[in-house]
Amino acid sequence: MTSTFEAPPESVQHEHYMQRALELAALGTGCTSPNPLVGCVVVRDNRIIGEGWHEIYGHNHAEINALEAAGDARSATLYVTLEPCHHHGLTPPCTQAIVKAGVSHVVYALADPNPRAAGGAQWLQTQGIQVSTGVLEAQARFQNRFFLKHMACQRPYVIAKSATSLDGRIATRTGHSQWITGPEARERGHELRQCVDAIIVGADTVIADNPSLTVRLSAAGHNPDLIRHPRPVVLDSTGRVPLHSNLLNGSLPTRTLVMTTDAMPREHRLTIETRGFEVVSVLHNEHGPGTSPLAVLEALGDRGIHSVLIEGGATVSGSFRDAGLIDEMWTFIAPTVIGGESARSAYSATGSDTLGDATQLHDVHVENVGRDVLIRGCVTRPDTAPSTKQTTEQTSTTPSTEGATQAASSDTTTTASH
């Protein structure tokens, strides 16, 4: 009796190789902004012959690295998480390299929303190359949610992080907060810092904790040469942050951006600026104290910042929540009860009047992190409600970019910030 091997359907093969490309793309986390994360594999005869990813901003794109690793890519299929670029920026167009390499089929997950770089798929088709799109698009969209959000509205994607006790407190009634969560949760928090362009804290947090807001990861599993420190952003509407604080004394690897209002004394502002720090005046918050959350994000978007992490304090986190400007929430919960009416919660400001007004999450993930629990999810809005449609591969003669500019909405603090 003889048996025959039946190859899996083409769509299954495409998803298998695209999943590998997504894994490769993730290796560039924190190092490619303002470019997107992109991974690529080159396949021939159901075997990967080359793979690569966009490693560092300004360096080769994923397709170039994968083609160089493959050597001979004639008649191969190239899988890439983002539509190959068709313009000359810091590097030449990837489309030309694909044609020159003799690739016969290109499969990509997500259309490029950047009008300067888009159009690569259509041009490849004019060169006789088969093009397929939409494979694992939802996963690719989430992976590049920072890039897509900025492309869509020129504002950064906002993640709010907090670390609380079981009863939702971020500190005791006396303000003691270091540390509510364990070392594993704090390590995970530093990994999240590595992902973003900037970290936002308020004046109260700087005064209370004197944080550095740098990325500090254990040597195991982390290449120190690839550590990138996000830019600290301090919201200080009246100039209360001491000049000797870590964020303003010039001792850190990145330069702090101070967001203020016209209520900051002119002398204080000039002193900060003479130390080499940028100070930006924005509108007052119409619904509470401090700076306008929307004005802050618009100013950051104008500076090319694609993603921000809010690490407190409670008033800052609460004001961004009240304004509906948070895209994603991460909450580390420790098996500890603090109690006390005056012990602060993670989100203050005005808050919701009814449960119907409360912030709801979707694509919620719950995981154990050491002794603590992490709950993370995306904020649900009418335009980001989970879709019931399944993502399927589609072969296109005229690749569409419809929906590519929508911000991602599906999966991948201590207010003692430090």
Side-chain angles (χ1 to χ4, degrees):
M1 181 176 180
T2 60
S3 61
T4 59
F5 171 75
E6 184 176 340
E10 186 179 57
S11 61
V12 174
Q13 295 182 43
H14 286 347
E15 290 184 0
H16 171 74
Y17 293 122
M18 190 62 73
Q19 182 60 49
R20 176 55 182 164
L22 288 166
E23 293 169 358
L24 291 167
L27 297 176
T29 297
C31 299
T32 67
S33 184
N35 280 355
L37 297 168
V38 184
C40 181
V41 297
V42 182
V43 177
R44 186 168 55 215
D45 298 328
N46 291 322
R47 183 174 66 89
I48 294 177
I49 60 174
E51 54 184 28
W53 66 96
H54 184 32
E55 299 176 13
I56 299 174
Y57 174 71
H59 290 204
N60 282 347
H61 287 189
E63 298 95 319
I64 305 304
N65 288 331
L67 289 171
E68 289 182 352
D72 180 4
R74 288 175 293 178
S75 301
T77 298
L78 182 144
Y79 293 85
V80 63
T81 57
L82 186 70
E83 178 185 8
C85 69
H86 190 53
H87 81 300
H88 199 303
L90 295 178
T91 58
C94 292
T95 50
Q96 294 181 7
I98 291 170
V99 171
K100 184 177 180 180
V103 171
S104 62
H105 188 186
V106 171
V107 182
Y108 68 92
L110 183 66
D112 195 332
N114 185 348
R116 293 180 60 239
Q122 189 169 8
W123 185 82
L124 288 171
Q125 289 178 322
T126 67
Q127 305 303 303
I129 295 177
Q130 181 184 357
V131 176
S132 302
T133 183
V135 179
L136 300 187
E137 181 179 354
Q139 291 92 321
R141 185 175 295 280
F142 181 80
Q143 186 175 69
N144 272 313
R145 60 202 187 279
F146 304 164
F147 174 74
L148 295 173
K149 176 67 179 287
H150 191 269
M151 286 299 304
C153 62
Q154 291 72 57
R155 296 199 308 267
Y157 187 94
V158 179
I159 301 176
K161 178 177 75 71
S162 59
T164 75
S165 60
L166 278 175
D167 53 340
R169 309 299 184 178
I170 59 174
T172 68
R173 60 185 176 84
T174 63
H176 187 225
S177 61
Q178 298 182 2
W179 301 105
I180 291 177
T181 53
E184 296 88 352
R186 296 198 295 276
E187 174 87 357
R188 188 69 181 278
H190 280 273
E191 291 175 353
L192 182 57
R193 285 182 179 180
Q194 165 78 5
C195 298
V196 299
D197 293 338
I199 300 179
I200 293 177
V201 293
D204 288 339
T205 294
V206 179
I207 293 169
D209 301 329
N210 193 23
S212 297
L213 305 183
T214 52
V215 175
R216 299 186 296 280
L217 294 169
S218 61
H222 298 102
N223 184 346
D225 294 333
L226 297 180
I227 296 298
R228 296 292 184 270
H229 301 286
R231 188 174 187 183
V233 178
V234 175
L235 308 186
D236 184 13
S237 60
T238 59
R240 295 186 296 121
V241 172
L243 296 173
H244 59 76
S245 65
N246 290 333
L247 295 177
L248 292 180
N249 66 14
S251 62
L252 300 178
T254 51
R255 306 299 288 179
T256 299
L257 172 60
V258 179
M259 309 291 287
T260 188
T261 67
D262 55 12
M264 175 182 279
R266 182 173 180 273
E267 296 76 12
H268 187 71
R269 174 172 183 154
L270 289 175
T271 300
I272 295 174
E273 290 176 332
T274 57
R275 294 187 176 191
F277 298 99
E278 184 179 8
V279 181
V280 179
S281 290
V282 297
L283 296 174
H284 289 272
N285 184 0
E286 295 180 354
H287 306 288
T291 53
S292 162
L294 177 59
V296 167
L297 294 182
E298 288 176 340
L300 294 178
D302 290 343
R303 284 157 179 77
I305 291 175
H306 287 194
S307 56
V308 298
L309 178 63
I310 299 176
E311 291 206 4
T315 301
V316 171
S317 298
S319 66
F320 276 80
R321 190 211 73 93
D322 290 349
L325 294 172
I326 295 176
D327 298 294
E328 189 174 331
M329 290 182 169
W330 289 47
T331 300
F332 295 91
I333 304 174
T336 304
V337 175
I338 291 176
E341 291 185 4
S342 60
R344 301 201 74 178
S345 64
Y347 296 86
S348 58
T350 302
S352 301
D353 291 331
T354 68
L355 289 178
D357 298 330
T359 301
Q360 304 292 332
L361 304 181
H362 64 272
D363 291 329
V364 175
H365 295 256
V366 180
E367 56 187 281
N368 293 322
V369 183
R371 70 184 183 96
D372 307 309
V373 174
L374 168 62
I375 300 177
R376 59 186 174 91
C378 296
V379 173
T380 300
R381 301 188 185 92
D383 61 327
T384 60
S387 173
T388 58
K389 296 180 181 179
Q390 293 184 345
T391 301
T392 58
E393 185 218 354
Q394 50 184 302
T395 300
S396 173
T397 56
T398 306
S400 170
T401 59
E402 181 179 353
T405 58
Q406 298 297 318
S409 62
S410 60
D411 187 26
T412 52
T413 88
T414 64
T415 297
S417 298
H418 62 294

